[in-house]
């Protein structure tokens, strides 16, 4: 499994007609997803640390040394992205605990079950995210 994706063995949430949005079952479903994702990322971080400790060598050949440093640098950048993702996951778990999970932080509307399953750390509804990306594109 690629550690930077949300491909889990957990099944998609099956909505029941008329059920309340972000009810206990939904919150538990997303808590499970977020905790599993965080656990997988933490295992990947541990593997990287052990790999770098075990494979660190002082190659006499400058090309070999440069290749290893380049590989380690790439791994560290990937782990840094994952560290930021872990922070977002932890924020999402706190939002669940606070009762704010699943609602757009800009306009307050429901983000939606399917969007949250695709991106469990989403904090914006699709409309606000689209506007945000348009503004970013115009300014960038």
């Amino acid at each position: 499994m690629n550690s930077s994706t949300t491909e889990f063995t957990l099944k998609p949430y099956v909505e029941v007609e008329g059920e309340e949005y972000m009810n206990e079952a939904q919150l538990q479903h997303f808590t499970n997803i977020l905790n599993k994702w965080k656990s997988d990322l933490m295992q990947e971080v541990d593997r990287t640390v052990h790999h770098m400790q075990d494979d660190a060598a002082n190659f006499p050949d400058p090309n070999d040394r440069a290749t290893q440093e380049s590989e380690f640098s790439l791994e560290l950048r990937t782990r840094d992205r994952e560290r930021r993702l872990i922070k977002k996951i932890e924020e999402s778990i706190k939002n669940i605990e606070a009762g704010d999970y699943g609602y757009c932080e800009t306009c307050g509307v429901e983000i939606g079950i399917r969007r949250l399953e695709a991106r469990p750390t989403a904090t914006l509804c699709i409309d606000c995210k689209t506007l945000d990306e348009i503004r970013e594109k115009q300014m960038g």
Side-chain angles (χ1 to χ4, degrees):
M1 179 169 109
N2 184 336
S3 62
S4 63
T5 66
T6 57
E7 297 172 25
F8 301 106
T9 56
L10 299 173
K11 295 181 180 177
Y13 184 82
V14 178
E15 294 179 74
V16 177
E17 189 175 332
E19 76 179 323
E20 183 181 341
Y21 182 71
M22 283 301 128
N23 62 41
E24 195 61 39
Q26 292 173 1
L27 292 173
Q28 187 59 54
H29 175 74
F30 287 108
T31 299
N32 293 343
I33 287 174
L34 291 162
N35 283 327
K36 171 86 170 94
W37 198 8
K38 180 180 173 186
S39 172
D40 290 348
L41 289 169
M42 296 298 285
Q43 288 176 5
E44 191 63 32
V45 168
D46 290 343
R47 272 195 292 275
T48 297
V49 169
H50 294 302
H51 166 72
M52 291 179 79
Q53 288 172 341
D54 294 344
D55 290 357
N58 191 6
F59 292 110
D61 180 30
N63 290 326
D64 291 340
R65 199 167 42 246
T67 298
Q68 182 184 48
E69 287 175 14
S70 178
E71 288 172 2
F72 282 0
S73 176
L74 180 61
E75 282 189 53
L76 288 172
R77 280 196 307 271
T78 301
R79 295 299 88 80
D80 187 51
R81 279 194 302 275
E82 290 173 344
R83 180 190 55 78
R84 289 191 304 267
L85 181 54
I86 288 169
K87 186 176 179 198
K88 289 178 95 173
I89 291 169
E90 290 171 345
E91 289 169 5
S92 294
I93 292 169
K94 286 179 185 171
N95 285 339
I96 288 174
E97 293 167 356
D100 296 330
Y101 184 79
Y103 297 93
C104 180
E105 67 182 18
T106 300
C107 70
V109 302
E110 297 175 358
I111 292 174
I113 300 295
R114 296 298 157 242
R115 174 159 165 70
L116 289 169
E117 286 198 324
R119 183 174 281 300
T121 57
T123 58
L124 299 175
C125 69
I126 197 70
D127 292 336
C128 289
K129 182 62 178 171
T130 301
L131 289 172
D132 194 45
E133 289 174 354
I134 290 169
R135 273 189 231 108
E136 193 175 294
K137 199 175 189 179
Q138 289 174 342
M139 297 178 91

